[in-house]
């Protein structure tokens, strides 16, 4: 059912694997803003959303947890023990500022070390880079994520955001950015995202293109629907 072209020329589809049907594992870095502005209900809703995300994963999926305020902390390295991740989520405390750019870069760096080729970052914040807390530039995470083929799904809560940066992180890594006025809708959104990530396809194609850094347009078509 799949047809693939590169620069308009058909290429051979070698294999198609369904993530759910073939039980292929995924690797996800959960990133949660724990700055002072997340104190109370926003952090509670963020924790509930993260729990809902974990509830929709499958055995063999691996998850890491990063929380950030004025600094960035790897609260839980990659593990398939989701109860360990739940315990780390349960222990999060809100305090401090928002080192947004460092958090994004650390998440990309963590995801790059995953054991599976399906690597995602789920990034939640209610703020923006303020006070020069980060040692990395805004574009550093974007460059690393693109180099390592890591998709950033970004979630913004409230009105103190940098929506342009969150959108860039998502769009430039072929993912999505979702912005909400409050944190109440996060659990439903996270549940859907976990199921969505678990029901994608891996399509392998043959091509004679040289790996020289040049850009090409790949189009995938299923029936009358296509994306490039």
């Amino acid at each position: 059912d799949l047809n693939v072209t590169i620069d308009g020329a058909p290429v051979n589809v070698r294999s198609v694997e369904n993530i759910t049907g073939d039980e292929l594992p995924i690797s996800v870095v959960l990133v949660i803003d724990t700055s002072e502005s997340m104190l109370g209900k926003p952090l509670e809703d963020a924790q509930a959303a993260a729990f809902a995300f974990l509830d929709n994963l499958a055995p063999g999926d691996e998850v890491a947890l990063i929380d950030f305020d004025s600094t960035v902390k790897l609260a839980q390295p990659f593990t398939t023990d989701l109860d360990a991740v739940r315990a780390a989520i349960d222990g999060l405390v809100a305090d401090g500022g928002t080192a947004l750019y460092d958090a994004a870069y650390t998440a990309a760096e963590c995801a790059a070390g995953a054991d599976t080729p399906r690597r995602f970052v789920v990034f939640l914040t209610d703020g923006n880079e303020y006070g020069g807390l980060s040692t990395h530039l805004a574009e550093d995470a974007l460059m690393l994520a693109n180099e390592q083929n890591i998709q950033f799904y970004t979630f913004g809560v409230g009105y103190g955001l940098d929506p342009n940066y969150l959108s860039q992180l998502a769009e430039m890594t072929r993912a999505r950015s979702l912005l909400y006025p409050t944190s109440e809708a996060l659990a439903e959104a996270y549940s859907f995202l976990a199921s969505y990530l678990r029901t994608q396809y891996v399509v392998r194609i043959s091509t004679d293109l040289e790996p020289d850094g040049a850009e090409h347009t790949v189009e995938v078509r299923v029936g009358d629907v296509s994306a490039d």
Side-chain angles (χ1 to χ4, degrees), residues 11 20 86 118 124 149 200 221:
V11 296
T20 302
R86 291 183 179 94
R118 299 284 292 160
L124 170 65
N149 193 29
Q200 293 186 350
R221 179 174 293 275

Side-chain angles (χ1 to χ4, degrees), residues 127-158:
N128 57 57
E129 180 71 29
Y130 181 75
L133 295 173
S134 291
T135 59
H136 291 92
L137 301 175
E139 59 267 25
D140 289 348
L142 291 168
M143 294 174 60
L144 181 58
N146 275 317
E147 289 171 1
Q148 296 294 325
N149 193 29
I150 297 161
Q151 290 182 283
F152 265 76
Y153 288 85
T154 59
F155 292 81
V157 175

